[in-house]
Amino acid sequence: MAEVIQFNCPACGTTLRLPLAMAAQQGPCPSCQREIVAPDPYRGIGGYEVPPPVLSIEPEPYRPFAETPPLVPKKAEVIEKTPEPEPVEIVPEPPAEIQPPEVVATPPLPVAQASVGKQPQRAILVLSCLWAGTVGLAMGIAFGVRSPQLFTATPGATQPLIVVPKVTKPAVVVPPPVAGPAPAPVVEKPVVVAPKIDPVIPPAKVSAAAEAALQAFLGAPDWAARSAYVLYPDRVRAAMEAYSHEVRDGPTAFKSISVKQSQVDETSGNTLFIFIVATEQFPTGIPVAVKETGGGWLVDWLAFVEFRDSLFQKFLDGPAGKAGFFHLVVTVPPPSPTEMENEHFSNYLLQSPLAEKSRLAYVKKDSDAAATLEAQTASGRTYAPVLEVEKRTTPDKQDYFEILSVKADDWFPREN
């Protein structure tokens, strides 16, 4: 039995058998028809598929675009544009005298024998028509050239055929001089608009007498002499005497006195001045009220000593269990993210107008003072009342300040 070679087609994997004599021979696979080379067991070479022949194709040149951009014409499509001829100005020539056209004899057309005798008559008729048309055309041209002469009036003629009116400017008629004196020229008076003057509101009262009373009040040697210049002396005289034992009595030195504002009481017609008294301790000034009364100009002593001696600050630093009336500035404190809302109290910031810092005070929510403070400080407004404040202590020995009442909504002095 002849020796055979058994192997799998390297292209499709079909098992093939070939005689040993066909080792390393090339041929198509009977199953996939691809060119393969049979293995050679003696040389140790396995079978393999013959790669397809490589065709040498000449590569096309690289083109960045599939076609030429639309705004750039291709070379094959470039059409040479013939330059247009320059326009030639045609100057019409004057009409020349028209000569009658030359008559050229035309050989007659072949006609029937019956019309041969009428040909001379037709020729004469045609020539006559041509002559009449030529003469009429020449007369029409001549008439058109000379026609402008017909649109002007002929001297001596009664009425021209066509008159072209001339456009002229209207004549200025100058009236004849009138006898007598010439009238005066009319001169337009300029419109004079009176300037708007804001009414000057004079001060209600002259402050010289009020300032003189204030200077006498400040320069008084003791409380007794000073009591002659204070408001409501019967009510405050005892307080002045008691206060003289706590604070050294005597005159108050000042640097300057100026008027801050004035107000007239509509009921009584009396004037109230607010002076600013600058001292060594308070260079910016202390507000002092001086009011007009039936007994003359009098000074609000209670507010004066409160500001001059910093009584509100002494009250804050003093012991608990005391209360007093003070002229204060009230504002709402800024919200704090860590502070819990108290269900019984609301809090406000209290500050004296001459102090640099404010202190926190509480007011009971169900009190009349709480309702007044809430209404007056709405929308972040500043409130300047006269408050009754008390310093208290909590069970765990912490001091706090409570607002008890609102005595007045402003700082103007009152009898009560």
Side-chain angles (χ1 to χ4, degrees), residues 333-337 339:
S336 176
E339 184 178 359

Side-chain angles (χ1 to χ4, degrees), residues 312 315-316 322-326 328 350 361 387-391 401-405:
F312 181 67
F315 164 77
L316 296 177
K322 290 188 176 182
F325 292 94
F326 303 98
L328 301 173
L350 307 183
L387 299 181
E388 182 184 6
V389 185
E390 183 180 2
K391 186 174 183 179
F401 303 93
E402 181 178 348
I403 302 172
L404 301 180
S405 64

Side-chain angles (χ1 to χ4, degrees), residues 231-232 265 270-273 289-293 296-299 413:
L231 277 169
Y232 324 121
D265 189 351
N270 295 332
T271 305
L272 172 69
F273 282 101
V290 180
K291 187 176 182 179
E292 183 183 18
T293 67
W297 294 93
L298 302 178
V299 182

Side-chain angles (χ1 to χ4, degrees), residues 17-34:
R17 290 185 179 185
L18 296 176
L20 185 59
M22 297 184 65
Q25 296 294 324
Q26 178 178 343
C29 172
S31 176
C32 63
Q33 301 299 322
R34 297 183 182 180

Side-chain angles (χ1 to χ4, degrees), residues 117-143:
K118 297 181 179 180
Q119 291 179 358
Q121 297 179 359
R122 290 183 177 178
I124 294 173
L125 180 60
V126 171
L127 291 175
S128 300
C129 293
L130 292 175
W131 175 255
T134 303
V135 173
L137 179 61
M139 293 179 63
I141 295 173
F143 178 80

